[in-house]
Amino acid sequence: MTALRPTLLLFAALLAGCAASQAPSSPALAAVPAAALPTYAGAEPLGAAMEGWAYPYPVQMLQFELEGGRPVRMAYMDVQPAQPNGKTVLLLHGKNFGADYWAGTLAALSAQGYRVIAPDQIGFGKSSKPEIRYSFALLADNTAHLLDHLKVERVAIVANSMGGMLGVHFARSYPQRVTALVLENPLGLEDYVLSIPPQKTSDLLQLEMAQTPASYRNFLHGYFPTNYRPEFERFVEQFARVQLSGEYPRYAHVAALTYQMIYDGPIYNELPKLTVPTLLAIGQLDRTVFGRRYAPPEVVKPLGNFPLLGKAAQQRIPGAQLVEFDGVGHAPHLEVPERFHAAVLTFLADKP
């Protein structure tokens, strides 16, 4: 093991220096001495399905078989409003989060009468993590299966980051089931394949295995360039405790496989084909570039400009609306929840 340590340290340094965004450093994070930040070295491990990790609402499981007869369980929250308005919203999470990060959105939308369904996609959160070839088509079909199980015919979709890519794929595959689509800083507004070279899954796995709580915290900080707050530390804790588990190698392998899914499932050319009412909700400080670390800086520099990408996507999506959040990064629903929820509720108000 000693001979491997320099290589792992090199990978960890690479990860720490290659966050998803190149936005300015967060004053909140910079004010905390590195030595004072928790390492979680003595924390209780979490398994790959994150048993024991608290979600904001009761979690249910749908068991089914993937192609080839592989049994899986899909975790989801189904929040019923006190005074139903007859409409349902489906929340689609990003790559580095599970459905639990929608806690505020679940509360805000259900308070206005919406039934809100928030699944962990297969490969994420509390759901099964089979080591398979992932695709957005597979995730879209799994999501449709969940809606069938819940006897929900039509939904409005609110989707963040990677979830935005899934939302586009779902709306293209099942347009009759989508009443409206909210894309919150989605990945895929530009064609990464033109600039980011393909990667071997084995190399991606090495990088995942070399992560540390510190490098992961630095990576997440890129999502919240000026709004990194103490409550976001729970995402670092979650990762660190899964890493302490003996199941982490499988968890890391699935993370590498879902990276390949994003690379293989672009949405750029699908945007003009969308036929559902669409709102682009774009944090203006976001500079996320999928696979940034795998291309030279001069190639990556013009990418990830979400203020420009949002405007360009509005022109490419028929009839799309655009709301811009100044001073906000990759996840407006976490950074400025009141503003985000107000925009979403206004957009959804006249949708069936």
Side-chain angles (χ1 to χ4, degrees):
M1 291 298 293
T2 304
L4 290 176
R5 185 168 178 78
T7 301
L8 292 177
L9 289 174
L10 175 61
F11 278 129
L14 175 63
L15 285 162
C18 296
S21 170
Q22 290 183 335
S25 297
S26 165
L29 187 63
V32 181
L37 293 169
T39 64
Y40 303 103
E44 181 182 357
L46 284 172
M50 293 192 296
E51 302 88 345
W53 184 261
Y55 270 38
Y57 295 91
V59 175
Q60 302 179 62
M61 293 286 179
L62 172 63
Q63 186 163 322
F64 58 97
E65 292 183 352
L66 297 178
E67 291 183 10
R70 182 190 296 264
V72 293
R73 298 200 309 166
M74 189 173 186
Y76 65 95
M77 291 174 284
D78 183 4
V79 180
Q80 303 281 349
Q83 297 181 318
N85 63 12
K87 302 177 184 180
T88 302
V89 177
L90 173 70
L91 305 179
L92 301 178
H93 61 75
K95 184 181 189 303
N96 296 295
F97 303 94
D100 57 323
Y101 86 150
W102 288 117
T105 305
L106 285 157
L109 296 183
S110 62
Q112 296 300 316
Y114 291 93
R115 179 182 181 180
V116 192
I117 300 167
D120 282 338
Q121 296 297 324
I122 298 298
F124 299 88
K126 290 180 176 288
S127 291
S128 299
K129 296 175 178 64
E131 295 170 285
I132 59 174
R133 184 180 184 277
Y134 285 83
S135 71
F136 284 117
L138 174 67
L139 268 56
D141 288 346
N142 293 343
T143 303
H145 183 53
L146 173 64
L147 296 180
D148 290 342
H149 170 72
L150 296 174
K151 296 179 171 54
V152 175
E153 291 295 328
R154 305 185 74 201
V155 294
I157 293 175
V158 178
N160 172 237
S161 192
M162 178 204 78
M165 299 183 74
L166 174 56
V168 170
H169 281 278
F170 188 91
R172 290 283 293 127
S173 298
Y174 300 96
Q176 74 281 3
R177 303 194 74 161
V178 182
T179 62
L181 178 62
V182 177
L183 300 176
E184 177 195 8
N185 286 73
L187 295 181
L189 296 184
E190 54 196 338
D191 194 344
Y192 305 112
V193 176
L194 298 176
S195 304
I196 309 297
Q199 301 297 311
K200 295 179 180 178
T201 300
S202 58
D203 292 340
L204 296 171
L205 174 59
Q206 274 194 298
L207 285 170
E208 292 292 341
M209 292 299 296
Q211 282 271 30
T212 66
S215 69
Y216 193 75
R217 182 182 293 111
N218 186 65
F219 171 78
L220 284 181
H221 166 237
Y223 286 156
F224 312 105
T226 60
N227 293 314
Y228 194 92
R229 298 195 290 269
E231 58 261 36
F232 299 158
E233 182 65 22
R234 73 185 303 272
F235 304 126
V236 182
E237 178 191 352
Q238 184 185 66
F239 164 80
R241 289 175 58 190
V242 173
Q243 194 177 45
L244 292 172
S245 166
E247 296 181 325
Y248 182 68
R250 176 164 60 91
Y251 182 97
H253 187 210
V254 170
L257 292 168
T258 54
Y259 175 100
Q260 302 290 32
M261 173 185 70
I262 296 173
Y263 192 85
D264 293 339
I267 62 168
Y268 181 77
N269 291 326
E270 299 301 314
L271 299 179
K273 303 173 187 176
L274 286 171
T275 58
V276 301
T278 301
L279 173 68
L280 292 150
I282 306 297
Q284 298 293 285
L285 292 183
D286 193 5
R287 297 298 182 270
T288 298
V289 178
F290 171 74
R292 172 190 297 279
R293 65 176 67 92
Y294 304 120
E298 64 273 13
V299 173
V300 173
K301 187 176 181 180
L303 302 179
N305 189 329
F306 270 80
L308 295 180
L309 291 173
K311 290 181 173 66
Q314 183 186 19
Q315 297 301 312
R316 289 175 57 78
I317 300 172
Q321 299 180 36
L322 172 65
V323 59
E324 298 173 325
F325 298 99
D326 292 333
V328 177
H330 194 60
H333 77 274
L334 292 174
E335 298 171 71
V336 287
E338 296 84 1
R339 289 162 57 191
F340 177 79
H341 296 143
V344 170
L345 287 168
T346 298
F347 177 68
L348 295 181
D350 62 349
K351 306 303 183 294

